[in-house]
Amino acid sequence: MKIVRSVAELRQTLASAQRPAFVPTMGNLHEGHLSLIRQARPLGDVSVASIFVNRLQFLPHEDFDSYPRTWEADCAKLEAAGCDVLFAPRETDLYPEPQTFKVQPDPALADLLEGEFRPGFFTGVCTVVMKLFSAVFAGHAEGVSVFGKKDYQQLMVIQRMVQQFALPITVLGAETTRSEAGLALSSRNGYLSEAERTEALQLSLALRGLGREALAAAHALPQHREALEAAALAALQARGWAPDYLTVRRRSDLQPPQAGDPLVVLGAARLGSTRLIDNLEI
């Protein structure tokens, strides 16, 4: 596995590639990230991963400085997963000057759910992903990038961005990797105590329960959705969680569903000091 730091070196390294397959990460890698690498590898003639903790997508009170950085372990895991090239820019490599030009996503998709509780988050995500895409795919007629469905709204935002800018990139969503018990793997799971890790399963269970209720009330879901969501929120709060949202949305645009729409249930909640997210297509 070749490790490169600068955009110029990355472009030179990939100059002979026909179809790069790219997985962006913020490091602190787990099996979920590695599954994305393994899924991406056969989709291109060179597999590329990035590790970059993007300051632009952290709010002032969030954990940018304390976000886990596990460089040596990450490199070993990526190499074992068959990654060909690791792009690991320093902040000055990716942002050599203040990033005053930013990508503003469509508010109709980006300002709800995660965007409501983390204002500006998707602007930071889109800006860094656009820069990473430019670094990886410049000069190539086509490419593919794989994102996990655990960050469901993020995946949708990136797919819409690529579509609207007519980028020659196929953005694929990979299924969420879970522990044997069903917990969605996340870099932030490392913040959980042993007791919290067991309790953390309740978020996915709450979403499954909400999904069952939504399907059972499918014919009248538009009228009863908010009551079902409120009951699910109250049940999770009773267990000591601080939920931001548990909601049923239509998959196409994350708006409130109408009868017959394909559905997804999404949730975000804080357990102790750790904020977790999860979702389930139903």
Side-chain angles (χ1 to χ4, degrees):
M1 182 177 71
K2 182 172 183 179
I3 300 173
V4 299
R5 295 285 188 180
S6 72
V7 172
E9 184 183 5
L10 179 66
R11 288 175 174 166
Q12 182 179 24
T13 298
L14 299 178
S16 61
Q18 297 298 311
R19 180 180 165 90
F22 176 47
V23 176
T25 84
M26 293 206 301
N28 192 28
L29 303 182
H30 51 67
E31 180 56 31
H33 296 109
L34 303 180
S35 72
L36 302 183
I37 296 293
R38 289 191 287 267
Q39 291 179 63
R41 282 186 63 203
L43 303 177
D45 59 344
V46 60
S47 58
V48 184
S50 65
I51 293 178
F52 182 71
V53 184
N54 178 40
R55 187 185 299 272
L56 295 185
Q57 68 194 66
F58 287 77
L59 299 182
H61 66 278
E62 292 183 334
D63 56 345
F64 174 80
D65 291 326
S66 62
Y67 190 85
R69 291 157 170 86
T70 53
W71 170 252
E72 292 184 2
D74 289 348
C75 289
K77 289 175 181 178
L78 287 173
E79 190 161 20
C83 181
D84 297 316
V85 179
L86 170 58
F87 180 43
R90 295 168 290 264
E91 197 161 20
T92 53
D93 294 318
L94 205 58
Y95 299 128
E97 58 185 74
Q99 189 67 35
T100 55
F101 282 73
K102 297 179 181 178
V103 180
Q104 179 63 53
D106 181 2
L109 178 61
D111 284 1
L112 68 162
L113 304 178
E114 286 299 284
E116 177 183 352
F117 288 93
R118 302 180 69 190
F121 170 71
F122 287 117
T123 297
V125 168
C126 288
T127 300
V128 74
V129 171
M130 184 67 86
K131 293 203 80 167
L132 291 170
F133 280 177
S134 174
V136 172
F137 296 112
H140 296 91
E142 60 176 348
V144 61
S145 188
V146 182
F147 288 74
K149 283 187 178 181
K150 188 183 80 69
D151 296 288
Y152 199 91
Q153 187 177 7
Q154 174 178 276
L155 170 64
M156 292 186 67
V157 167
I158 296 301
Q159 288 175 327
R160 294 284 181 86
M161 180 183 78
V162 166
Q163 176 186 354
Q164 291 222 341
F165 283 104
L167 303 180
I169 303 165
T170 300
V171 177
L172 300 178
E175 297 299 326
T176 301
T177 302
R178 298 182 181 274
S179 69
E180 290 184 7
L183 178 63
L185 298 191
S186 168
S187 296
R188 288 189 169 89
N189 289 354
Y191 296 148
L192 300 171
S193 67
E194 184 175 348
E196 286 174 335
R197 187 176 292 267
T198 299
E199 175 62 25
L201 294 170
Q202 295 298 322
L203 178 58
S204 63
L205 292 176
L207 291 175
R208 289 183 185 278
L210 178 57
R212 286 194 299 269
E213 294 286 343
L215 289 177
H219 63 288
L221 185 58
Q223 294 86 354
H224 298 298
R225 178 183 60 87
E226 291 185 0
L228 296 177
E229 293 172 350
L233 279 170
L236 205 58
Q237 287 172 328
R239 299 187 65 92
W241 290 69
D244 288 336
Y245 58 84
L246 293 175
T247 187
V248 183
R249 298 299 173 105
R250 63 186 178 203
R251 295 184 202 176
S252 61
D253 57 9
L254 300 184
Q255 294 297 313
Q258 300 299 313
D261 287 337
L263 303 177
V264 58
V265 288
L266 308 103
R270 194 171 298 277
L271 179 60
S273 60
T274 305
R275 187 176 186 272
L276 302 174
I277 65 172
D278 202 350
N279 64 80
L280 179 68
E281 293 178 329
I282 58 173

